[in-house]
Amino acid sequence: MRPAILNPLFAEVAALKGVGLAQVRQLARLKITRAADLAFHLPTMVIDRLAVEQVDESLVGRPIVVPLTPANHERGGPRSPLRVAAVDRGGQWVDLTFFGQSATWAQTKLPIGVEKRIIGKLDRYGQKLQIAHPDVLAMDSPAPPPLREPVYPLTEGVTNRRMSQLVAEALARVPALAEWIEPSVMARHQWGSFTAALNAAHRIEGGLDRLAYDELLANQLALLLVRADTRARRGRALAGSGRLVQPFMAGLPWQLTNAQTRVIGEITGDMAQAQPMLRLLQGDVGSGKTLVALIAMLTAVEAGTQAALLAPTEILARQHLATLTKLAGGLPVRIELLTGRDKGKAREALLADLAAGRIDILVGTHAIFQEAVAYDDLGLVVVDEQHRFGVAQRLMLANKARVPPHVLAMTATPIPRSLALTHFGEMDQSQIDELPPGRQPIETRVTTRARVEDVIAGLSRHVAAAGQAYWVCPLVDGTEDEDEAAATTRAAFLKGRLGADKIGLVHGKMKAPDKDAVMADFAAGRLAVLVATTVIEVGVDVPGATLMVIEAAERFGLAQLHQLRGRVGRGPGQSVCLLLRGEELSETARSRLKLMRETNDGFRIAEEDLRLRGYGEILGTRQSGEEAFRFADPERVQKFVTVARDDARLLLDRDGGLDGARGQAARVLLYLFERDAGVALLRSG
Ligand code: ADP
Ligand code: MG
């Protein structure tokens, strides 16, 4: 429940002075629905005005406040602006121009002969000085002339002045709040109160560091609470007997890498505890996560339970099934696939076997957690490439098991440490930071689109030598001037050059079965070139493909380019990635492509992407419009998240948790930043 002290701040905007239905709708366009949203709606800049008694040429281009006396009103025609000629105290003329105002309006607002305070930017128009769209104040107005005015993001129908009023009213609703930050942290940064910081931020006079810290503290508290809650549940200790893992390892054609051995130890160590595991396994593309997942799943099966592997797409689910079946060939385990496409009798039989415990490992898309799907005894869930696998999904899945299952999430997206803390801070982290031996680093080259003919000639030679290749385009269909970046156009073109039977095409607009069929043909070597959009980004594994061309590479995010590039270099041969770029590139685009050429280090690339493009790009949440933080930009996250983590831990472990004195204040913080949702959800679940 929200602390009562925050009720005025979280009132609907309709409760504010003069806010009617129309204004409610206007504000909603800015995602402002409550007073709190206004209090958190920060200006982007501030206008500094000069108060002067007279105008002169030297002031042109400056925002000013000046007393002027209107001398006459004139309008050139119905479409031209209303013009009020006014004169300053030294006799200098200035035209005041207004669009869309009536003469009557001007007569009341700017009566002839009455001096007013005029506020606006002084311009020159031909020979004359003018101020377009000035604000007008009476000389005896009690409000001081606005010399420093914050400029807010606006929407049609809400002027900056109106927004300022609304914000001021919202800020007045911020109550006096007990301090939630650790005193030593406050002292180190010489921070003032939350309220002071918020008010300063509205004047663009600092405050943002503290607000970002507050937001991160709320984030870390929520994550630690979720974590504590998960830990408090009784799971089940799953100890392997070695019955499956030992013969499996004995039959494996290679040695595990040191990193694989280490993370397997971390994972099976967790699984042997009665607390449910909640672990994130990070490992760059090709680092061998699937093998690690399989060993974890075999361990769960040895312990007498079932395991499920959740893949983000049908293609990947099928591929996982194929890989797992091959790897586990000869072992007495039954691995099956369930996707949304399975229907009828076969599906019924599969579900019956699952419920009876005759299936050991189930691979699939979200279908594997649908209501109709019942497990006999689910002990481990592996989640592949689901960055958005949040608390709600985990709850849903917990309902599938007799006791909360162990959860292992896997991602090939290198997640910078700061981001791992803010977005996966409730999980333990494992990292495979080493590739299997014998891999040659992918060679990356950048070339301009003008040289596409050379590239096609190279592709021809590659194909003639029985090589396979990917050709990636940013778009599915061509728009008028960007045909060359569209997959369909490019596929048709390459068919003309290399032969229709050699070229396959996959993109997101295709039906899943069609997509799968093409992928299967490519994987089996029946197609030499796969033209694709980013649908091939994650997981697709065709070791024979050693050439990748990425067209209009500057349009992709760095992390995305890295993921795409990871589709090649999966076998022992030397792989090449060609980044085709447009002629005109910005400085940033140029340096991004240069970085891709220089490094294969996914973490370095992710850090850079984070710096350049923010969180959405890496977590794939950009499209969903979900912003991670209001105040904590990537730089501030990096600066403060570790301290916030320690501070949150201190509060929960030493300062008496949420019931201690600081904890009471922290409850308010959690609600202020609306980080209470996850916690409440878990409590009720
Ligand atoms: P990821 O899922 O992390 O991208 P995969 O599990 O698909 O990586 O592994 C990439 C390739 O490396 C696969 O073909 C896999 O069989 C192989 N592989 C995995 N572990 C090893 C190892 N220890 N030594 C050699 N090859 C390995
Ligand atoms: Mg994989």
Side-chain angles (χ1 to χ4, degrees), residues 286 288-290 319-320 384-385 410 412 539 567 570:
K289 293 184 295 297
T290 314
Q319 195 176 288
H320 272 308
D384 191 24
E385 293 299 344
M410 304 197 294
R567 297 308 103 215
R570 301 177 76 81

Side-chain angles (χ1 to χ4, degrees), residues 284-285 441-446 470 472 536-538 540 545-550 557-570 575-579 592-603 605:
D284 215 338
V285 283
I442 301 160
E443 186 188 326
T444 301
R445 293 182 217 146
V446 180
Y470 295 99
V472 182
I536 59 152
E537 193 177 332
V538 270
V540 174
T546 53
L547 172 64
M548 170 168 284
V549 179
I550 302 179
L558 286 183
Q560 211 177 14
L561 285 176
H562 182 66
Q563 286 290 310
L564 286 167
R565 181 169 65 179
R567 297 308 103 215
V568 294
R570 301 177 76 81
S575 290
V576 174
C577 178
L578 276 178
L579 303 177
R592 291 170 68 232
L593 294 183
K594 183 158 165 276
L595 181 72
M596 289 305 296
R597 205 177 61 213
E598 284 169 356
T599 185
N600 271 310
D601 179 346
F603 279 91
I605 290 169

Side-chain angles (χ1 to χ4, degrees), residues 254-257 260 283-291 436-437 439 541 570:
W254 353 271
Q255 294 277 102
L256 294 181
T257 61
Q260 281 172 319
D284 215 338
V285 283
S287 61
K289 293 184 295 297
T290 314
L291 189 61
R439 298 280 173 79
D541 191 9
R570 301 177 76 81

